């Protein structure tokens, strides 16, 4: 076969194997990325050996990482990054440094390495977690916008930035006297690049994208975005940083432009294809025979690594005053070795910092932790429920969920409406309720939202609405209704369950993020569950039917029927369940509480 045609055959083979593996995983109700990895193992050099141009396939797979991080940068905008800047910069940096320090100390004492330099290198490998795997799992579980998702992604971003610094100082590890100089040099390059990226993101990128968009050519816009993404990624590579860092920064630069959503829409299909290729390429690096021969040692290393990183991350996140459920989620999400550790391990092997056997052990341990992570993240709600049932853990689990602050104008509220979350939905509802004279208490744990509540003189309680202590402080048993409009599905379910436990008769209206949450929230005790996407469909349908001449009464009857059936018409794969009562109307406001609500 001609060499120039060989690469095409290899790509088709890899993608076909990944597709088959993904379908098999989906049929077994497993994360599809495990199927992609399995497909890579099957067709890789240690499997059937069908891939001949392994280096070229691995090179193309780097596009998958670049597009994944570019899309993450577009979605995870600077405004979002600012929300978790403390835990991202402080916690993320401390996590990397503590992992390196502890790994160095333990590995030298136990005799895993011969020199502290090798221990530092091993610590650098273990400190990195998988942005690609965790991001994919968060997207599949609809957790990217939740508090735990934001914290986990914030710390992952710092790890990705640290990768560039590690690669820069790696050649100097054999010469300890020059490590300090290399670190200063790498930090200087990073600072210069960051400054240039900020300047370009403000003055160059927006007018450039507006000019391209003015051509009204989809092809030109897509090509421009791809060139921008990969061009900046190659620039960071030339500067001694990482391609991944450049792709993420490119996404951040676009995230504040009005064409960000359009850019993301165009890039997402490419991201999905090349990300599949990347996960399959990871599978091709795995030697199943070596894993089988050393399975006891690898499983021991996996347990040590995952438990060790979990025990480092959980206290760090807790120190930054996040609820323990967020800390545990972040600990489980970061308790693996990342795919970028392959890059470090490969470079370390070339420099003689690790032997071939150690390299294969790192590879096998990393592969197993990557395969376990999706299951851990998916099982996190069940893990939290089990931990809460352990008697001696209950007080510790709830320690950081104690109410932090209660505004002065909220101390004498009664017959009030409790609103959990002061985002766009919460703000609109609070405004409407107050305009009609209903007393309102907002539960919020975002400092930026609390500033808004203080400035508007709206009664608030600073804390986690899923905490029983916070709900008791909000006097939920004296409240008339409760609205839950937060983005965290785990906290939403816990808030409903615990509010019902305190006040069984309270009227709870809750927003559902996922279709599967609708029935669960009803079963937990919510009186009404609203799905924003389905409600938008109902409103659009109402407008169309009115324009077509249908009567208002008939339309309202059909809409109410859909709501009573829990949106069954929009969920054909779910059996219709018992109808629920319609949204209860609030009784007239109490005259003596009108002044307190205003």
């Amino acid at each position: 076969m001609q060499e120039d045609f060989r690469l095409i055959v290899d790509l088709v083979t890899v993608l076909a194997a990944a597709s088959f593996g993904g379908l098999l995983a989906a049929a077994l109700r497993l994360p599809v990325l495990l199927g992609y990895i399995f497909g890579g193992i099957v067709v890789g050099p240690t499997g059937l050996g069908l891939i001949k141009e392994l280096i070229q396939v691995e090179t193309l797979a780097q596009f998958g990482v670049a597009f994944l991080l570019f899309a993450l940068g577009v979605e995870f905008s600077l405004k979002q990054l600012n929300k978790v800047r403390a835990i991202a910069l402080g916690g993320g940096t401390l996590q990397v440094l503590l992992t390196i320090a502890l790994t160095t100390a333990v590995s030298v004492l136990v005799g895993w390495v011969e020199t502290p330099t090798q221990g530092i290198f091993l610590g650098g490998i273990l400190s990195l977690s998988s942005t690609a795997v965790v991001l994919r799992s968060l997207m599949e579980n609809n957790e990217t916008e939740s508090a735990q998702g934001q914290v986990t992604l914030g710390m992952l971003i710092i790890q990705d930035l640290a990768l560039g610094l590690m690669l820069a100082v790696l050649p100097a590890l054999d010469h300890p006297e020059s490590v300090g100089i290399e670190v200063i040099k790498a930090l200087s390059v990073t600072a210069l690049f960051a400054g240039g990226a900020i300047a370009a993101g403000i003055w160059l990128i927006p007018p450039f994208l507006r000019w391209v968009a003015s051509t009204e050519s989809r092809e030109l816009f897509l090509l421009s975005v791809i060139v921008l993404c990969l061009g900046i990624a190659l620039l960071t590579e030339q500067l001694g940083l990482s391609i991944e860092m450049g792709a993420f920064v490119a996404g951040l630069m676009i995230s504040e432009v009005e064409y960000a959503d359009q850019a993301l829409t165009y890039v997402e299909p490419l991201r999905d294809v090349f990300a599949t290729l990347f996960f399959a390429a990871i599978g091709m690096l795995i030697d199943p025979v070596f894993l089988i021969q050393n399975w006891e040692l690898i499983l021991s290393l996996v347990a040590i690594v995952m438990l060790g990183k979990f025990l480092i991350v959980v206290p760090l996140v807790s120190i930054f005053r996040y609820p323990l459920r967020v800390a545990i989620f972040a600990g489980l999400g970061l308790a693996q070795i990342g795919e970028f550790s392959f890059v470090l391990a490969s470079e370390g092997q070339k420099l003689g910092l690790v032997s071939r056997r150690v390299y294969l052990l790192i590879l096998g341990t990393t592969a197993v932790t990557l395969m376990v992570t999706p299951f851990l993240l998916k099982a996190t709600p069940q893990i939290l429920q089990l931990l809460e049932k352990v008697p001696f853990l209950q007080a510790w689990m709830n320690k950081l969920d104690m109410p932090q602050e209660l505004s002065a104008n909220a101390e004498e509220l009664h017959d009030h409406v409790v609103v959990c979350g002061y985002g766009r939905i919460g703000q609109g509802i609070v405004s409407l309720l107050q305009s009609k004279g209903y007393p309102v208490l907002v539960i919020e744990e975002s400092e930026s939202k609390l500033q808004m509540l203080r400035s508007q003189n709206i009664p608030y309680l600073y804390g986690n609405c899923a905490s029983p202590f916070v709900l008791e402080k909000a006097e939920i048993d004296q409240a008339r209704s409760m609205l839950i409009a937060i983005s965290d599905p785990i906290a939403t379910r816990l808030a409903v369950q615990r509010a019902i436990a305190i006040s069984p008769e309270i009227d709870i209206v809750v927003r559902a993020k996922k279709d599967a949450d609708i029935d669960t929230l009803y079963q937990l005790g919510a009186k009404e569950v609203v799905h924003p996407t389905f409600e938008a469909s109902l409103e659009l349908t109402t407008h169309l039917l009115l324009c077509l001449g249908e009567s208002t009464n008939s339309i309202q009857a059909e809409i109410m029927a859909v709501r009573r059936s829990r949106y069954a018409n929009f969920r054909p794969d779910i059996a219709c369940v018992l109808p629920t009562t319609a949204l209860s109307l609030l009784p007239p406001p109490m005259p003596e509480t009108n002044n307190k609500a205003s």
Side-chain angles (χ1 to χ4, degrees):
M1 184 179 295
Q2 297 180 359
E3 290 299 322
D4 57 351
F5 193 66
R6 179 75 249 180
L7 178 59
I8 298 177
V9 174
D10 286 346
L11 285 176
V12 173
T13 302
V14 173
L15 292 174
S19 300
F20 176 78
L23 289 171
L24 180 62
L28 297 174
R29 298 187 179 276
L30 301 175
V32 292
L33 65 87
L34 294 184
Y36 302 154
I37 295 175
F38 174 74
I41 294 175
V42 171
V43 299
T46 57
L48 299 177
L50 300 179
I51 304 302
K52 306 301 181 183
E53 304 292 338
L54 183 60
I55 296 178
Q56 287 89 333
V57 173
E58 290 176 346
T59 301
L60 288 175
Q62 291 300 312
F63 284 118
V65 185
F67 285 130
L68 268 173
L69 289 174
F70 174 76
L72 173 61
V74 175
E75 294 177 326
F76 202 86
S77 68
L78 292 174
K79 292 179 181 178
Q80 290 176 308
L81 185 60
N82 190 51
K83 295 178 184 177
V84 291
R85 64 184 182 278
I87 184 63
L89 294 174
T93 302
L94 284 173
Q95 180 267 320
V96 171
L97 294 177
L98 283 174
T99 304
I100 293 175
L102 290 175
T103 303
T104 302
V106 172
S107 60
V108 171
L109 289 174
V110 177
W112 291 344
V113 296
E114 298 177 358
T115 65
T117 300
Q118 293 177 336
I120 293 173
F121 170 70
L122 182 60
I125 290 176
L126 299 185
S127 68
L128 300 178
S129 303
S130 175
T131 301
V133 172
V134 174
L135 175 60
R136 192 64 173 263
S137 297
L138 290 175
M139 291 168 61
E140 289 180 355
N141 298 325
N142 200 24
E143 293 275 7
T144 52
E145 296 182 5
S146 65
Q148 57 264 27
Q150 294 286 297
V151 168
T152 305
L153 289 175
M155 297 182 72
L156 283 169
I157 288 168
I158 297 303
Q159 290 182 5
D160 293 335
L161 297 178
L163 174 65
L165 183 61
M166 292 178 187
L167 290 173
V169 302
L170 195 59
L173 285 181
D174 275 339
H175 308 283
E177 67 279 359
S178 63
V179 171
I181 298 175
E182 293 297 330
V183 170
I184 294 173
K185 187 187 299 183
L187 288 175
S188 301
V189 172
T190 303
L192 288 173
F193 171 71
I198 292 172
I202 295 174
W203 291 299
L204 296 180
I205 302 302
F208 171 71
L209 287 181
R210 292 188 189 103
W211 175 53
V212 175
S214 66
T215 65
E216 299 184 359
S217 171
R218 183 181 184 277
E219 293 81 4
L220 281 177
F221 191 87
L222 175 60
L223 287 173
S224 300
V225 169
I226 291 175
V227 170
L228 185 65
C229 168
L230 300 181
I232 295 176
L234 290 176
L235 175 61
T236 54
E237 176 73 13
Q238 292 299 314
L239 292 174
L241 304 174
S242 64
I243 288 178
E244 295 78 18
M245 176 182 175
F248 173 72
V249 171
L252 281 179
M253 292 165 67
I254 291 178
S255 66
E256 302 303 321
V257 183
E258 60 266 30
Y259 300 106
D261 292 338
Q262 185 178 357
L264 185 61
T265 301
Y266 289 166
V267 171
E268 276 182 337
L270 289 173
R271 177 198 66 184
D272 294 339
V273 172
F274 281 103
T276 300
L277 188 62
F278 168 73
F279 289 116
I282 290 179
M284 289 188 290
L285 294 174
I286 298 173
D287 185 352
V289 175
F290 182 83
L291 292 180
I292 294 172
Q293 291 175 345
N294 298 272
W295 68 271
E296 292 181 342
L297 177 58
I298 289 176
L299 287 181
S300 300
L301 291 173
V302 167
I304 293 172
V305 168
M306 299 192 76
L307 181 61
K309 294 189 75 172
F310 177 82
L311 293 177
I312 289 174
V313 172
V314 171
L316 276 177
V317 177
S318 299
I319 288 172
F320 284 84
R321 306 302 300 170
Y322 282 93
L324 196 60
R325 58 181 175 79
V326 175
I328 292 175
F329 187 98
L332 294 173
L334 299 175
Q336 81 287 136
I337 309 175
E339 62 279 350
F340 298 149
S341 296
F342 292 140
V343 180
L344 271 181
S346 179
E347 292 296 321
Q349 186 185 17
K350 293 176 185 177
L351 295 171
L353 292 172
V354 292
S355 64
R356 175 66 179 172
R357 174 176 170 77
V358 173
Y359 172 74
L360 290 175
L361 285 173
I362 292 172
L363 207 64
T365 304
T366 302
V368 174
T369 60
L370 289 177
M371 289 188 284
V372 170
T373 296
F375 293 105
L376 278 178
L377 291 177
K378 193 170 185 178
T380 300
Q382 290 75 25
I383 294 174
L384 289 173
Q385 290 178 1
L386 289 175
L387 290 176
E388 288 180 345
K389 293 178 180 178
V390 180
F392 67 90
L393 286 178
Q394 285 181 348
W396 187 57
M397 287 285 290
N398 294 321
K399 185 177 180 181
L400 291 179
D401 284 342
M402 297 296 289
Q404 304 295 317
E405 178 186 351
L406 180 68
S407 63
N409 56 353
E411 294 179 353
E412 298 180 1
L413 285 178
H414 62 277
D415 291 331
H416 53 291
V417 179
V418 177
V419 177
C420 301
Y422 198 61
R424 293 169 61 184
I425 295 176
Q427 290 171 26
I429 292 173
V430 168
S431 176
L432 286 172
L433 288 173
Q434 287 200 319
S435 69
K436 294 184 175 295
Y438 292 104
V440 177
L441 175 67
V442 178
I443 300 178
E444 180 58 70
E445 57 183 342
S446 167
E447 183 57 36
S448 61
K449 299 293 193 311
L450 292 172
Q451 292 288 353
M452 296 172 59
L453 291 165
R454 293 187 189 107
S455 64
Q456 298 168 10
N457 198 31
I458 297 174
Y460 68 86
L461 175 60
Y462 176 19
N464 171 23
C465 66
S467 165
F469 303 105
V470 171
L471 293 173
E472 289 177 1
K473 189 69 174 180
E475 296 187 3
I476 201 74
D477 55 332
Q478 300 295 323
R480 304 165 80 179
S481 292
M482 179 177 179
L483 168 77
I484 304 175
I486 57 177
S487 59
D488 184 350
I490 298 176
T492 298
R493 293 193 290 269
L494 288 174
V496 173
Q497 185 178 19
R498 289 168 176 172
I500 291 294
I502 297 172
S503 179
E505 301 302 322
I506 189 170
D507 180 75
I508 299 180
V509 183
V510 59
R511 178 185 67 169
K513 290 283 288 185
K514 296 186 292 185
D515 298 1
D517 289 337
I518 296 174
D519 295 327
T520 301
L521 292 169
Y522 274 119
Q523 292 167 5
L524 289 173
K527 293 294 190 301
E528 191 76 18
V529 180
V530 178
H531 193 293
T533 303
F534 295 159
E535 286 297 323
S537 299
L538 292 178
E539 290 300 318
L540 291 170
T541 303
T542 299
H543 178 80
L544 289 173
L545 292 176
L546 285 173
C547 292
L548 293 172
E550 295 285 338
S551 69
T552 303
N553 291 337
S554 65
I555 295 174
Q556 288 298 323
E558 297 229 11
I559 296 299
M560 290 305 298
V562 172
R563 287 176 176 148
R564 282 195 299 270
S565 69
R566 301 182 186 178
Y567 308 107
N569 292 350
F570 300 109
R571 303 189 295 156
D573 55 326
I574 300 177
C576 185
V577 293
L578 293 175
T580 75
T581 58
L583 180 62
S584 301
L585 295 176
L586 286 170
M590 301 294 288
E592 63 271 20
T593 60
N594 284 350
N595 293 332
K596 295 174 185 176
S598 58

